[in-house]
Structure formats: C-alpha cells, structure tokens
Amino acid sequence: QVQLVESGGGLVQPGGSLRLSCAASGSIFSIGTMGWYRQAPGKQRELVATITSGGSTSYADSVKGRLTISRDNAKRTVYLQMNSLKPEDTAVYYCNVEARRLITTPWNNYWGQGTQVTVSS
C-alpha cells in the first residue's frame, strides 16, 4: 500500500506564506508525476500545480508567480511553496502522486488526506 502524509497547512494573513509538504511511503517501486490540488467550499477540486519525475512543472493560471512546486526524489516528497497568499487561495489542499508498487504493476494515482489552508486577516 502507498500512504501520503501532508503537513504545513494553517491560518495565514493575506500576503503571507506557507509551505506544504507531502511525503509518500509504503510499497513503492517508482514515482511519476506529483501534484497539488485544492478544493474550496462549494467548489470542485481543481489542479494547482504538477511536477514530473524529470522536474518539469505546470501551474494553474491563478497561482503562477506566487506558488512553486518542487520535489525531493530521495525523500519521496513533494512541496508547495505558497507566497503572496490571497483570501481566494483558501481551500483544502490535496497532494496527488502517480506511483507503481512493482515494475510489473500499472501506475496508480494516490491522494493525501488534505490539509486546510486559510488566508484571512
């Protein structure tokens, strides 16, 4: 089984910063694309950012220039550095990891439990 443990959420004032982490553990042969999604109250879950195993990144237009995704392959961890936060960034943030448990098994997507980010004065 693959487990994802997120940390780093909390309450921050507008303009502030937070850093989210998501560590993967368990029976993992290899990890592919890692990403962050978010879901605000009453809204659908949306993609925030992704990073491939080779380090290529992509971002939602709403977060470009403010949020930065990175990964540490040795630690099997993906990060989301969040700067210049706005009230509209308030949401539950979920990490998503593409992984396979054995070289012979297919790739599957795994989700973290979610961490709350609240931007408010």
Side-chain angles (χ1 to χ4, degrees):
Q1 191 61 286
V2 176
Q3 295 85 36
L4 301 179
V5 178
E6 301 177 19
S7 61
L11 173 65
V12 64
Q13 292 186 342
S17 298
L18 283 174
R19 189 193 195 204
L20 306 183
S21 300
C22 173
S25 63
S27 178
I28 300 173
F29 175 76
S30 61
I31 295 177
T33 298
M34 308 176 86
W36 289 94
Y37 290 71
R38 68 186 181 186
Q39 187 166 18
K43 295 187 177 181
Q44 290 188 334
R45 190 173 298 189
E46 64 175 0
L47 175 65
V48 176
T50 61
I51 183 167
T52 68
S53 57
S56 296
T57 59
S58 65
Y59 297 91
D61 287 342
S62 61
V63 306
K64 284 181 180 177
R66 300 187 299 116
L67 276 58
T68 302
I69 190 170
S70 61
R71 63 191 284 170
D72 184 328
N73 291 327
K75 295 182 179 179
R76 293 176 170 176
T77 300
V78 61
Y79 305 97
L80 186 67
Q81 178 65 44
M82 310 169 70
N83 298 329
S84 302
L85 283 164
K86 304 176 181 180
E88 50 263 44
D89 294 316
T90 296
V92 177
Y93 284 71
Y94 298 90
C95 68
N96 176 270
V97 171
E98 179 185 57
R100 54 179 175 172
R101 298 174 62 187
L102 299 171
I103 193 171
T104 55
T105 57
W107 293 92
N108 284 311
N109 273 290
Y110 299 90
W111 290 92
Q113 80 282 4
T115 185
Q116 177 70 46
V117 171
T118 302
V119 185
S120 175
S121 55

